[in-house]
Amino acid sequence: MPAQSAKRLGQFAAITVIGFGLITALGSNPATNALPNVLVDLLHWPFNGLEQVDTPAARVIAAIAGGVMVGWGINLLLITNHLFDTNNRLWCLLVFPGLACWYVVDSTGSVLSGAWLNAWLNLSFLVMFGAAYWMRSRAVDRAQTV
């Protein structure tokens, strides 16, 4: 059970990355940017309606960032679906370097842009993927000692 729960946590984390990517991509069009506007305003606490994805430059960055997040999330999901159960060490090698680089760059940029709350929320992704790896490693260790 713990090994399957660990895999589900990794899948959930990957799907969450895809979801945030899709929300971000919605900011590329004024007709679909209501949810991204709420997200951007929330990340620039306090929530007051002042922060919006409302310039052509912000919209193109939303399109690019959203696309990158969706693609990265799909890769994380495929890696988790195909390697998590069979080669957890390779899964870790393929997931964690990119995750660490993303965390440092995204969180640093978020703090510098005044969206410090995003740096804290980013930590949840590290925790989810880290917990999935740790849970799977413990399950493997237990199976080998039995």
Side-chain angles (χ1 to χ4, degrees):
M1 179 65 175
Q4 198 58 22
S5 296
K7 183 175 183 177
R8 284 191 187 118
L9 182 58
Q11 291 168 326
F12 175 77
I15 291 167
T16 303
V17 171
I18 295 166
F20 274 103
L22 292 171
I23 291 170
T24 301
L26 288 172
S28 64
N29 185 329
T32 60
N33 71 356
L35 193 53
N37 283 341
V38 169
L39 181 61
V40 166
D41 195 34
L42 180 65
L43 294 175
H44 285 90
W45 194 260
F47 187 69
N48 54 17
L50 295 178
E51 303 297 332
Q52 295 188 6
V53 184
D54 59 357
T55 66
R59 288 193 285 273
V60 74
I61 292 299
I64 293 166
V68 169
M69 287 179 70
V70 169
W72 182 43
I74 293 293
N75 282 338
L76 290 169
L77 186 59
L78 290 171
I79 290 166
T80 299
N81 286 344
H82 295 285
L83 289 177
F84 196 83
D85 293 330
T86 59
N87 193 336
N88 198 240
R89 291 192 191 282
L90 180 57
W91 178 84
C92 182
L93 179 66
L94 294 173
V95 169
F96 281 104
L99 189 66
C101 291
W102 158 80
Y103 179 78
V104 169
V105 172
D106 188 315
S107 296
T108 301
S110 293
V111 170
L112 292 174
S113 72
W116 55 268
L117 181 59
N118 192 53
W120 283 105
L121 294 174
N122 288 344
L123 192 56
S124 67
F125 286 103
L126 287 180
V127 168
M128 283 191 284
F129 282 109
Y133 177 73
W134 180 76
M135 290 167 60
R136 175 67 178 146
S137 295
R138 285 192 51 149
V140 168
D141 290 344
R142 284 186 189 147
Q144 289 174 351
T145 58
V146 173

